[in-house]
Amino acid sequence: MIASETNPQMPEEWLACLKNHGHRITAPLKALVEILAVSSRALGPLELVELGRKSCPGMGLVTVYRALEKMEEAGLIQRVHQNQNCNMYLRAAHGHEHLLLCLSCGKIEFFSGDNLNELIGRIAQKSGFVIREHWLQLYGICSDCQEKDDNQ
Amino acid sequence: MIASETNPQMPEEWLACLKNHGHRITAPLKALVEILAVSSRALGPLELVELGRKSCPGMGLVTVYRALEKMEEAGLIQRVHQNQNCNMYLRAAHGHEHLLLCLSCGKIEFFSGDNLNELIGRIAQKSGFVIREHWLQLYGICSDCQEKDDNQ
DNA sequence: GTAACTGCAAACGCTTTGCACCAAG
DNA sequence: CTTGGTGCAAAGCGTTTGCAGTTAC
């Protein structure tokens, strides 16, 4: 099972978390939470206003930036780094998850179960570094996009 | 042995490579190559102009951007992604190298010898993705910075 | 000699800040 | 009622583009 299967109760949990962090639950924030909590793609500020305006017309771009700041600080979302755009956001990893990104459609799944301890120990010894964290991402083509390619 | 040990002949090889790509070898380009080919830290445009002006006074920031474009296109440098700044450049990885970054001083070493085939195969099977590439980075504290911390 | 490269200045686009009004609690 | 949040407009900042002069080859 892949961990990115969406959990329909998540938006409510996000709002509770944001409330706990001292933030008010406003319509724009709620709209953005409902988008980001279930998105299987990383989204940038411009996409987020556009999507957000569907349920919250007139939402300003500035509000998106401020909401992203709050959600990131609350540990709900993470910035996704890709070759080009590093300003896209996705729900934060739970525990020891890493990202698997589709190079064609941008879909992202989470995976876990890497065991890098042996490698990390070896590199630490060779380099003299004390290793604090690691960052692993896999890039490929998701099954939907493979089918699309086959049909062309 | 860590692969980032600098190779003194590298700047000349970079210039030959850039020439092969149809670029003229000018003073600013040469100065920037001499900096980037041997740097053990990722450098941003502003740091690069500043460093470049030591051997090439009056160098413009625009020239740095254009030189970076050429070097990246020629495969000589890569963009380094970090939590904050994603606009810093380092020599490109040779073959199957990955990065090991010092969180304290920014020093970067290359390492190789990861074996993720088993993991990649398992994730491919579970997710249905065809995996094309992977991206692995380790973050830690280098031995110099460990000593500094000890002395404080 | 010619075309690519340079540095400057202006333009551009994304992000942040200031502010008056609004609304959550 | 209080104060954090909103949307607008303006400012800020890193990057890109246009251009006339310069230089590699």
Side-chain angles (χ1 to χ4, degrees), chain A residues 23-71:
Chain A
H23 303 298
R24 292 183 181 174
I25 306 309
T26 62
L29 186 60
K30 205 175 164 202
L32 292 170
V33 162
E34 279 163 2
I35 293 163
L36 276 165
V38 302
S39 177
S40 63
R41 292 180 47 242
L43 298 168
L46 254 60
E47 291 172 291
L48 283 164
V49 229
E50 205 176 323
L51 292 169
R53 281 176 179 156
K54 287 180 185 173
S55 67
C56 186
M59 179 190 293
L61 186 53
V62 179
T63 303
V64 173
Y65 281 103
R66 290 192 271 228
L68 287 171
E69 205 178 317
K70 286 169 194 164
M71 291 189 241

Side-chain angles (χ1 to χ4, degrees), chain B residues 19 23-27 45 61-62 65-66 87:
Chain B
K19 206 164 190 173
H23 302 298
R24 292 185 180 172
I25 306 311
T26 62
L61 187 52
V62 180
Y65 282 103
R66 290 193 271 229
N87 306 314

Side-chain angles (χ1 to χ4, degrees), chain B:
Chain B
M1 247 248 313
I2 297 294
S4 69
E5 239 97 290
T6 54
N7 174 351
Q9 284 151 296
M10 271 167 61
E12 288 74 44
E13 293 167 10
W14 285 36
L15 293 173
C17 170
L18 288 164
K19 206 164 190 173
N20 284 341
H21 276 73
H23 302 298
R24 292 185 180 172
I25 306 311
T26 62
L29 185 61
K30 204 175 164 200
L32 292 169
V33 161
E34 279 163 3
I35 293 163
L36 276 165
V38 302
S39 177
S40 64
R41 292 181 47 242
L43 299 167
L46 253 61
E47 292 172 290
L48 283 165
V49 227
E50 205 176 321
L51 291 169
R53 281 177 178 155
K54 287 181 184 171
S55 68
C56 186
M59 180 190 294
L61 187 52
V62 180
T63 303
V64 173
Y65 282 103
R66 290 193 271 229
L68 287 171
E69 206 178 315
K70 287 168 195 165
M71 290 189 243
E72 188 171 27
E73 192 221 73
L76 292 167
I77 58 172
Q78 64 182 304
R79 192 183 287 256
V80 175
H81 296 264
Q82 284 174 277
N83 271 345
Q84 299 308 322
N85 218 334
C86 291
N87 306 314
M88 301 182 75
Y89 291 84
L90 190 73
R91 80 151 175 88
H94 298 153
H96 205 86
E97 294 175 334
H98 296 289
L99 300 183
L100 170 58
L101 302 90
C102 177
L103 293 162
S104 175
C105 69
K107 182 183 177 184
I108 300 184
E109 295 193 357
F110 289 84
F111 69 89
S112 52
D114 65 296
N115 187 356
L116 300 173
N117 293 337
E118 192 267 333
L119 171 71
I120 288 174
R122 198 169 64 236
I123 301 301
Q125 195 171 15
K126 278 189 197 171
S127 65
F129 275 56
V130 174
I131 294 177
R132 291 267 176 84
E133 48 185 300
H134 65 272
W135 194 16
L136 173 63
Q137 279 181 201
L138 304 182
Y139 296 88
I141 307 294
C142 74
S143 47
D144 290 348
C145 289
Q146 290 168 48
E147 281 173 34
K148 266 181 239 150
D149 291 347
D150 291 344
N151 296 340
Q152 272 164 20

